Amino acid sequence: MDVTTDANAPWLIVGLGNPGPDYAMNRHNVGFMVADLLAERIGGRFKRAGRAQAQVVEGRIGPPGPGNRRVVLAKPMSYMNLSGGPVNALREFYKVPVAHVVAVHDELDIDYGVLRLKLGGGDNGHNGLKSMTKAFGAEYHRVRFGIGRPPGRMQVADFVLKDFSGTERKELDYFVDRAADAVECLVIDGLERAQGTYNS
């Protein structure tokens, strides 16, 4: 069967971010935070993925039975603007159709903590998405985690590479948890159901 039409093909859930402790709590790393929580939920630990410049966890999401989905959670270790290469290498290795790729990423044009799920579209200046789209096209799913716009005259690059503020951190765990729920709903129940539940 052509993998692009195989409903039983695995899902590749990609948390976007930058590697290393200096970036761990940056706004730009919220994708890594969601991926870490999903790994915890399925009882897995991230490990280096062979030749791919990424860390992965393999497992299943959903209740036992037909609703169960095989997933590969991934965190590219290439830095944000080079995410496409490692993600495409994993996609080809695990035989994942583009429509079964989910990118979890920070989004400037959405208020803090608000989620938006969609399939395809532009990159809105996000270098991780730009790199992925260049590597294998735009028709993958996105779970967009709102971080809001920078205050005053702060540059976007400075804003996304700063840690969440103390006020933001009070609600961060809740929002990351909700984003992980949204990913699970997308994979198990489909985009329309997930949008109806989590697009706020």
Side-chain angles (χ1 to χ4, degrees), residues 7-11 59-71 187-189:
N8 295 315
W11 287 76
R60 302 192 82 86
I61 283 177
N68 199 272
R69 299 284 184 267
R70 182 178 165 220
V71 297
V187 170
I188 296 165
D189 298 319

Side-chain angles (χ1 to χ4, degrees), residues 18-37:
N18 288 307
D22 290 348
Y23 299 99
M25 288 304 296
N26 285 183
R27 294 182 178 91
H28 224 16
N29 269 44
V30 74
F32 274 19
M33 297 174 199
V34 175
D36 285 337
L37 179 56

Side-chain angles (χ1 to χ4, degrees), residues 83-135:
S83 299
V87 175
N88 200 39
L90 293 173
R91 193 185 69 77
E92 291 178 346
F93 179 79
Y94 288 103
K95 297 180 170 55
V96 177
V98 174
H100 276 209
V101 176
V102 182
V104 185
H105 64 92
D106 57 304
E107 179 62 61
L108 286 160
D109 287 335
I110 303 174
D111 289 341
Y112 174 60
V114 173
L115 297 177
R116 292 276 193 279
L117 285 75
K118 69 174 187 172
L119 174 63
D123 56 58
N124 202 23
H126 193 288
N127 288 329
L129 299 182
K130 193 176 295 184
S131 181
M132 287 175 61
T133 297
K134 185 177 179 183

Side-chain angles (χ1 to χ4, degrees), residues 76-87:
M77 293 287 113
S78 56
Y79 290 96
M80 182 69 85
N81 59 355
L82 298 173
S83 299
V87 175

Side-chain angles (χ1 to χ4, degrees), residues 42-83:
I42 65 174
R45 282 191 177 179
F46 278 99
K47 296 177 183 174
R48 200 78 180 183
R51 294 181 183 177
Q53 205 174 355
Q55 292 183 353
V56 299
V57 174
E58 296 179 56
R60 302 192 82 86
I61 283 177
N68 199 272
R69 299 284 184 267
R70 182 178 165 220
V71 297
V72 179
L73 306 176
K75 296 192 295 185
M77 293 287 113
S78 56
Y79 290 96
M80 182 69 85
N81 59 355
L82 298 173
S83 299

